Amino acid sequence: YFSHPLAVAGILTGWHLDAQALIAALLHDVTEDTEITIAEIGEKFGKVTAELVDGVSKLDKIEFQSIEDAQAENFRKMLLAMARDVRVILIKLADRLHNMRTMEAMTPAKRARIAGETLEIYAPIAHRLGLNQTYRELQELSFRHLRPWRHAALSKAVQKARGYRRDVVERIQRDVEKSFAQAKLPVQVYGREKTLFSIYKKMSEKHLSFAQVNDIFGFRIVVGTLMECYMAMGVLHQLFKPMPGRFKDYIAIPKGNGYQSLHTTLVSPLGTAVEFQIRTEQMHAVAEKGIAAHWMYKAKGAGANAQDAQRLGAMWLQSLLDIQDETRDASEFLEHVKIDLFPDSIYVFTPKSKILALPRGATPVDFAYAIHSDVGDHCVAAKVNGEPVALRTELHSGDVVEIVSAANARPNPAWLNFVRTGRARSKIRHYLKTMELDESRAMGEKMLAQALRAEGLQMPAADPNDAAAAALWQ
Ligand code: MN
């Protein structure tokens, strides 16, 4: 109850978070473990701190169930959307990091569950936020708790390999540097070593033995311009033979998170295969820090929205990484981190724990049409988190939404006044258009009568001989 919150706050001081976040970290389990309420925290420590504690507690209440990849991605987004303030996520990450470091006393089953969730959800979030060291530590700890024997064996194997491959690696580095000097291409050459988790991942994904994983040690070549990446690759391929099928151009086709680099594996004269990653300094920064803008907003379309997204993404990424390092000015940092992470989207659950993304302001009707047009066409009522609500109710991230439908129910034209998704709108319109003429007429009259009644007016009697009135019905 005491040392855990203190350790969490300690991790956050390492990330240079502000006082409010540190207070919230110290108090993050208080509403769970004691009778103290959010309101009381607000009175004693201020509204913002209370909101942060509330945000962390809310995240704790959502449980991740599915292990499907697509669902994991949505779950991560849901957490971010719910957090609203990025500090909530950072507190949660520090909380999880400390839990992962101190799991020894738990049962193996519980350890495995938490480690699995960390691997699927929290490590990737840390990655996207640019907390790369945390990302790697979460992965390594998860691996150790999920596969303790594998982890131990691999750790031993890497230590051995490090010893006998050192000479080879050093010699390759000298040869490579000499080639670039001769080609008059200014580059920086860095040696790198894979983490145990990534070695393990590669072995299991590609069904390889440890001896077959030949890129435990590799090199990173950082050049000045994009074109120089390809020139550097030419220099390398002249020096050593590239391994067929191992060349990847992530510059022309970046990875989903914006990662760009050329990857190639070369076979040195000694027979050792070594992987090279070639990138510019800018690509390197993105690779280390993650690019929020690419990831947060799927829409790559042109227009103000995409530009805004880029700007927002760039801004908070900046705030998170650079401002902390350079100015360490808490108030300036704060201004940037208050940005709503997902200004346009909410994430809600179906009763079967599937997650749907909807635009902000979406209603149960949008939800119904997002599931299936039949569900939308026949929906009559909705429940949110088990409580009956009006169909026009605005949904929020984390809501569990349930639609009640009836076979004889029909779309209501009034829904057009509040639906937010184009899909719902067009489906409702489509239904209204294809309705039988008589039915449309009756509905039109009904709507008109309703509207008139609302204004305290009477419905005029229909006159079949009135050409102007008849034209209105066409
Ligand atoms: Mn905790």
Side-chain angles (χ1 to χ4, degrees):
Y1 294 116
F2 182 72
S3 64
H4 164 69
L6 196 60
V8 172
I11 291 169
L12 290 169
T13 60
W15 300 345
H16 308 298
L17 258 78
D18 56 86
Q20 285 163 332
L22 296 181
I23 299 170
L26 290 169
L27 300 174
H28 79 270
D29 280 333
V30 158
T31 57
E32 286 299 303
D33 299 338
T34 73
E35 303 285 304
I36 306 280
T37 63
I38 293 292
E40 286 172 273
I41 293 176
E43 278 163 32
K44 288 211 165 70
F45 301 100
K47 190 166 155 269
V48 177
T49 302
E51 278 170 4
L52 293 175
V53 174
D54 193 34
V56 177
S57 309
K58 278 197 181 121
L59 291 192
D60 285 336
K61 289 199 183 88
I62 319 185
E63 224 172 271
F64 178 64
Q65 288 164 345
S66 163
I67 49 158
E68 263 176 78
D69 263 5
Q71 286 294 292
E73 175 69 18
N74 276 337
F75 192 84
R76 292 193 286 266
K77 286 181 178 168
M78 176 187 271
L79 289 186
L80 292 175
M82 282 189 70
R84 299 297 287 273
D85 187 323
V86 75
R87 287 175 295 179
V88 170
I89 287 289
L90 294 172
I91 295 168
K92 185 66 207 162
L93 281 174
D95 178 38
R96 180 52 63 107
L97 182 58
H98 186 250
N99 287 341
M100 290 294 295
R101 284 174 180 171
T102 53
M103 286 208 298
E104 310 299 341
M106 291 179 190
T107 62
K110 194 169 180 198
R111 260 189 269 172
R113 190 190 68 73
I114 293 175
E117 188 185 70
T118 301
L119 209 50
E120 291 276 347
I121 307 298
Y122 292 100
I125 287 177
H127 185 44
R128 306 306 188 192
L129 288 175
L131 297 164
N132 258 309
Q133 198 187 342
T134 301
Y135 165 61
R136 294 196 189 104
E137 186 178 349
L138 287 175
Q139 280 187 331
E140 291 292 298
L141 288 168
S142 300
F143 175 38
R144 208 174 79 201
H145 289 292
L146 279 172
R147 303 266 182 281
W149 299 107
R150 290 251 117 192
H151 184 275
L154 215 50
S155 164
K156 244 188 187 157
V158 168
Q159 235 160 25
K160 244 172 94 185
R162 208 180 280 144
Y164 64 71
R165 289 194 201 179
R166 182 179 294 136
D167 291 347
V168 181
V169 171
E170 276 172 7
R171 202 181 133 189
I172 294 172
Q173 176 152 1
R174 275 198 306 277
D175 288 351
V176 166
E177 279 169 347
K178 215 168 90 192
S179 290
F180 280 116
Q182 280 166 358
K184 296 198 168 48
L185 189 62
V187 302
Q188 285 160 293
V189 181
Y190 302 99
R192 43 178 278 279
E193 189 175 309
K194 262 187 154 47
T195 61
L196 291 183
F197 176 73
S198 62
I199 295 171
Y200 168 71
K201 209 171 115 196
K202 185 157 194 175
M203 285 168 66
S204 55
E205 273 172 8
K206 301 199 171 164
H207 307 288
L208 301 173
S209 70
F210 178 72
Q212 286 172 301
V213 181
N214 43 34
D215 55 356
I216 294 163
F217 307 103
F219 291 98
R220 184 167 294 138
I221 311 286
V222 178
V223 299
T225 66
L226 190 149
M227 283 316 288
E228 282 172 4
C229 291
Y230 293 98
M231 285 159 67
M233 187 185 66
V235 171
L236 290 173
H237 285 188
Q238 292 296 314
L239 177 64
F240 300 130
K241 284 266 176 284
M243 256 169 88
R246 294 293 304 273
F247 166 65
K248 291 192 195 82
D249 186 345
Y250 292 122
I251 293 179
I253 304 166
K255 286 191 183 180
N257 62 3
Y259 175 88
Q260 287 188 298
S261 274
L262 297 178
H263 288 191
T264 186
T265 302
L266 307 179
V267 186
S268 78
L270 300 162
T272 318
V274 182
E275 192 195 54
F276 285 78
Q277 300 174 344
I278 307 163
R279 52 175 79 145
T280 64
E281 252 159 66
Q282 198 197 338
M283 291 173 198
H284 184 60
V286 171
E288 287 298 300
K289 295 177 178 181
I291 183 155
H294 273 258
W295 164 72
M296 285 198 303
Y297 304 93
K298 272 186 296 181
K300 269 205 167 173
N305 223 0
Q307 263 179 8
D308 282 353
Q310 288 270 337
R311 189 178 51 79
L312 272 182
M315 225 163 93
W316 78 260
L317 183 68
Q318 199 81 8
S319 68
L320 211 60
L321 304 159
D322 299 346
I323 293 173
Q324 289 185 82
D325 285 347
E326 286 160 18
T327 72
R328 309 225 164 147
D329 177 335
S331 65
E332 189 182 346
F333 177 63
L334 248 183
E335 261 175 47
H336 290 263
V337 291
K338 273 185 181 162
I339 297 165
D340 194 344
L341 296 175
F342 287 85
D344 305 322
S345 307
I346 59 159
Y347 297 85
V348 295
F349 286 110
T350 69
K352 286 181 181 159
S353 296
K354 204 181 155 221
I355 299 168
L356 288 184
L358 293 169
R360 180 148 293 171
T363 63
V365 174
D366 293 292
F367 175 88
Y369 276 105
I371 291 180
H372 196 278
S373 49
D374 276 349
V375 179
D377 284 347
H378 299 297
C379 79
V380 286
K383 284 182 183 174
V384 169
N385 304 323
E387 297 289 323
V389 298
L391 285 175
R392 63 181 317 140
T393 309
E394 185 179 333
L395 300 175
H396 299 281
S397 278
D399 283 347
V400 179
V401 187
E402 195 180 332
I403 296 295
V404 182
S405 54
N408 59 354
R410 299 282 177 267
N412 183 340
W415 293 349
L416 289 171
N417 296 328
F418 58 74
V419 293
R420 281 298 172 94
T421 53
R423 183 181 163 83
R425 193 171 297 279
S426 72
K427 292 284 177 189
I428 297 167
R429 285 221 179 99
H430 176 76
Y431 177 82
L432 294 176
K433 252 187 226 156
T434 54
M435 259 193 324
E436 291 297 322
L437 185 63
D438 287 348
E439 211 178 322
S440 309
R441 208 171 262 170
M443 179 169 282
E445 277 183 50
K446 210 172 116 193
M447 286 171 68
L448 179 60
Q450 251 177 19
L452 289 173
R453 232 187 351 263
E455 298 292 326
L457 297 170
Q458 278 280 315
M459 181 81 167
D463 178 357
N465 297 320
D466 184 340
L472 278 177
W473 294 113
Q474 296 304 308

